[in-house]
Amino acid sequence: MLESAGVETSIARIEGHDVRVWRKGRGPVVGYLAGFGGLPKWTPFLDRLARTRTVVAPSLPGFPGGGSWHAKLDTHLDWILAARQIVLASGLIGADLVAGSVGAALAAELAALWPDDVRCLALVSPLGVSDRVQPTTDMWAQRADELPGLLCVDPDVYTRFTAKPENADAIEWTVEQTRASEAGARFLWPLSDTRLASRLHLIKAPTLLLRGAGDRVLPNGALQQFRNALRCKAEVRSIAGAGHLAELDCPDAIADAILGWCESGGRHA
Amino acid sequence: MKMLWFHLMPYLDLPEDFREKNPSVWVTIDSGLFDPVRAHAMYNDFMDELEYASQVGFDAICVNEHHSNGYGLMPSPNLIAATLARRTQDTAICVLGNSLALYNPPTRVAEEMAMLDCMSGGRLIAGFPVGTPMDTAYAYSQNPSMLRDRYREAADLVVKAWTTREPFAFNGRFNQQRYVNIWPRPIQQPHPPIWAPGGGSVETWDWCAQNDYCFCYLSYNGYKAAQTAMEGFWKVVDKLGKDRNPYRAGFLQFIGVAESRQQAIDLYTEPAEYFFGRSFHVDPRFAAPPGYTSEETQRAGLVGQIAMKRRNRGAEKMKEIIDNGYVVIGTPEDVVEQLREAATELNVGHLMLLLQYGNMNKELTNYNTRIFAEKVMPELRGLFSQWEDHWWPRPLPASQQQAPAPIGDGARKGGRNA
């Protein structure tokens, strides 16, 4: 099953592209932009958020549910405007925004360029800022059998997450996963540095930065540079037992940290 | 049939334990292994070998482009081609080629190839490869998701630059140039023949067939493994209602020829095992950057040659190398028979022959080249004689060809300071 019980699927038609929007839960809306590989399936992390919040998870271009829109996005501005239209169409203006990895680089751009449209921001291992001495690990130059261990502390978690469901077409499932990887690469090639650091000072929303202590993709130094570029309320936390895709490794710990941050409006900072 | 002598220019001194101690010959190869003084000798030997191939009658001599690569020492094939233009007379010069998406602006390729065409008297074959993942996405950090679109646009721009008589503005998706007006311009009109090397992507078949460019299947895996790719190309040609002229296609093959089969095995085992064991030791993590292979090609189940090599793991010893058809080896008669079969089955009129590979030295390379030229080439020359090769250079007539002035005491004395 791609979706868990209670997940509603709608399709937003944007510039001729169909974008899947998943929604579940009750309470104040929280938007979620997924990281590397997108959301081939609903996740326990989103279920955990949905206990007390209405989770709205639109697909990014090229990610599962996002079609092939990415192939039309040639510039960084194209990507930002596509993401802006997606959050507009998903009803996420003024909501809390949560994102990871690739998605977090875009979420930060949105929060910087439309600072009044994001209430609270929580970013898990955000890309977009890369240390010049120690760059992010190249996720796009990996052997297939090594990728799960690079992205998650527990490789089996990633392997299960990306395993083909029984009723899915094997070829199309693989093509979809490759397309998602390509979309991230198209946006972030080659160093996952979009010069985002120069725009982070524009963010007003209280910003929580989370990083798995076992993150083998994003060096801690890059996250510190990200933090140092912010002028808003901000806090960095390390999550034990989690890797780059920390929401997959430790769904409860990540969700608890985010919910606490958003409920307090970042007042702990 | 046309026979082309192809040089990769491999570094000859990779250590015996290279495979054990190094993850890859490409992209991340240890720069400490490179000895520039040895490279001085290698480059000169390699160019001697190319010139020798021209002397003994090969139809063309070929160079190509690789980056950060221990088996290809030609980041700029045009440099080598320029020297060949001066040191050879009648042989076509096949630059196979310039990876168009790596040039900014791509009109640089139009200019340099026009120079080569002028310098050589119209002997240039203009090769436009997409470039391997290792060269493009990794060594040159080009975005693999945009590479093919960039490549196509660059090819259009180069052809337009060659064929448009007035200065023009080019406003493309990836390239914007206010003034395109290349100078010099190619001798061959409307432009030099365009060949597109490929590893078997569906898009390259379509593109070549639609534009009447020569499709060259450059694989190190031999003709047996090439049948799927070549048949895919010919089906596209059929679908477009075009003829199956074998000169629409080219194919690459390693060769080891000697007086007896055993002698051939004795002579060529070391260089073949060096190539497939050391030179072609590529880290598979560089094989498939996302977006490099289109979804259509993924669905067709086609794989690149690094991935193919991974599947055929273990073919680094001579028996497997021969059994898999990676190297066609034996007496002249054996080689004639196998190449005739390969060319006929694949329907290719341009055979690109690797007669130097691995750590093969100049003496053995020239021996391989000479035996091939003397005893194999004449037997194959008549194949496909009923077809006209529309993809071959049209050089200036001999009366207009100018040879370089001889260099020697007399020439020096005749210089401006004499």
Side-chain angles (χ1 to χ4, degrees), chain B residues 45-354:
Chain B
D45 280 349
F46 295 155
M47 287 186 274
D48 287 348
E49 290 157 11
L50 282 156
E51 290 160 13
Y52 182 70
S54 168
Q55 290 166 24
V56 297
F58 280 80
D59 297 296
I61 42 182
C62 306
V63 291
N64 73 342
E65 174 178 336
H66 285 305
H67 301 276
S68 307
N69 182 346
Y71 81 70
L73 297 185
M74 280 184 284
S76 174
N78 298 354
L79 293 181
I80 304 296
T83 73
L84 298 175
R86 289 276 289 176
R87 298 262 297 176
T88 63
Q89 287 302 311
D90 302 319
T91 314
I93 296 173
C94 179
V95 178
L96 204 64
N98 288 177
S99 299
L100 291 174
L102 303 185
Y103 293 82
N104 183 16
T107 43
R108 177 80 182 192
V109 174
E111 291 173 330
E112 290 193 5
M113 286 191 164
M115 285 177 69
L116 288 170
D117 204 43
C118 290
M119 290 162 65
S120 66
R123 290 185 283 141
L124 179 73
I125 294 168
F128 292 165
V130 173
T132 69
M134 290 69 74
D135 291 315
T136 57
Y138 295 110
Y140 264 43
S141 288
Q142 288 297 303
N143 193 318
S145 178
M146 300 183 192
L147 187 73
R148 287 180 190 276
D149 287 336
R150 281 186 181 278
Y151 164 79
R152 296 281 171 78
E153 180 176 301
D156 290 344
L157 172 52
V158 170
V159 171
K160 191 171 180 185
W162 278 338
T163 55
T164 304
R165 288 290 165 193
E166 303 294 328
F168 65 93
F170 187 84
N171 191 355
R173 185 174 170 189
F174 303 103
N175 299 280
Q176 288 189 326
Q177 283 181 257
R178 172 71 72 177
Y179 305 104
V180 180
N181 184 26
I182 65 155
W183 187 267
R185 310 186 68 85
I187 283 176
Q188 296 182 78
Q189 292 299 315
H191 55 72
I194 294 174
W195 293 19
S201 77
V202 173
E203 298 73 27
T204 306
W205 300 339
D206 291 341
W207 189 67
C208 287
Q210 283 167 6
N211 291 288
D212 287 322
Y213 297 155
C214 178
F215 170 68
C216 303
Y217 185 64
L218 297 194
S219 160
Y220 302 142
N221 298 310
Y223 72 91
K224 292 173 186 170
Q227 286 172 334
T228 303
M230 288 310 306
E231 192 48 40
F233 171 69
W234 289 117
K235 281 181 181 169
V236 172
V237 171
D238 292 343
K239 201 173 168 184
L240 292 171
K242 301 194 173 188
D243 61 37
R244 280 197 172 217
N245 185 331
Y247 293 111
R248 288 185 182 278
F251 174 67
L252 180 82
Q253 181 64 58
F254 288 74
I255 303 289
V257 60
E259 299 298 338
S260 73
R261 180 173 174 79
Q262 189 55 51
Q263 187 191 4
I265 290 171
D266 293 343
L267 287 172
Y268 301 115
T269 291
E270 184 187 332
E273 291 186 349
Y274 179 103
F275 181 84
F276 288 100
R278 286 182 243 178
S279 302
F280 203 35
H281 172 53
V282 184
D283 193 329
R285 71 195 177 101
F286 299 127
Y292 180 86
T293 303
S294 74
E295 293 183 5
E296 191 182 358
T297 300
Q298 288 177 55
R299 290 187 180 102
L302 298 165
V303 295
Q305 65 176 316
I306 302 300
M308 191 184 290
K309 177 174 181 282
R310 206 178 178 205
R311 286 183 187 176
N312 297 339
R313 212 167 207 166
E316 279 112 26
K317 291 296 173 190
M318 196 57 173
K319 183 176 183 315
E320 289 79 19
I321 289 169
I322 296 171
D323 290 347
N324 287 340
Y326 293 179
V327 178
V328 166
I329 199 161
T331 63
E333 293 75 24
D334 296 336
V335 173
V336 167
E337 183 185 337
Q338 290 181 70
L339 288 183
R340 189 188 300 278
E341 179 187 329
T344 306
E345 285 194 10
L346 301 176
N347 194 41
V348 290
H350 301 117
L351 268 186
M352 281 157 280
L353 302 152
L354 280 168

Side-chain angles (χ1 to χ4, degrees), chain A residues 68 70-75 138 140-143 145-146 171-172 174-175 178-179 181-182 185-187 189-190, chain B residues 23 137-138 141-146 149 173-174 283-286 288-293 295 298-299 310 313:
Chain A
S68 295
H70 67 292
K72 304 287 184 193
L73 306 177
D74 296 337
T75 68
D138 190 350
W140 297 286
Q142 299 295 327
R143 300 181 192 204
D145 58 349
E146 291 177 348
I171 292 173
E172 290 309 313
T174 304
V175 168
T178 306
R179 185 189 303 141
S181 177
E182 177 192 346
R186 190 177 181 96
F187 174 51
W189 198 270
Chain B
Y138 295 110
S141 288
Q142 288 297 303
N143 193 318
S145 178
M146 300 183 192
D149 287 336
R173 185 174 170 189
F174 303 103
D283 193 329
R285 71 195 177 101
F286 299 127
Y292 180 86
T293 303
E295 293 183 5
Q298 288 177 55
R299 290 187 180 102
R310 206 178 178 205
R313 212 167 207 166

Side-chain angles (χ1 to χ4, degrees), chain A residues 105-187:
Chain A
L106 274 170
E109 296 280 10
L110 298 178
L113 297 179
W114 292 275
D116 296 324
D117 288 352
V118 178
R119 182 180 168 273
C120 271
L121 188 62
L123 305 175
V124 185
S125 290
L127 300 176
V129 176
S130 187
D131 187 287
R132 293 198 175 200
V133 177
Q134 187 186 4
T136 52
T137 303
D138 190 350
M139 296 182 286
W140 297 286
Q142 299 295 327
R143 300 181 192 204
D145 58 349
E146 291 177 348
L147 190 62
L150 177 73
L151 297 175
C152 287
V153 165
D154 180 357
D156 291 342
V157 168
Y158 182 79
T159 301
R160 282 196 301 275
F161 180 56
T162 53
K164 180 185 85 64
E166 248 180 44
N167 55 351
D169 179 274
I171 292 173
E172 290 309 313
W173 184 261
T174 304
V175 168
E176 181 183 85
Q177 306 251 317
T178 306
R179 185 189 303 141
S181 177
E182 177 192 346
R186 190 177 181 96
F187 174 51

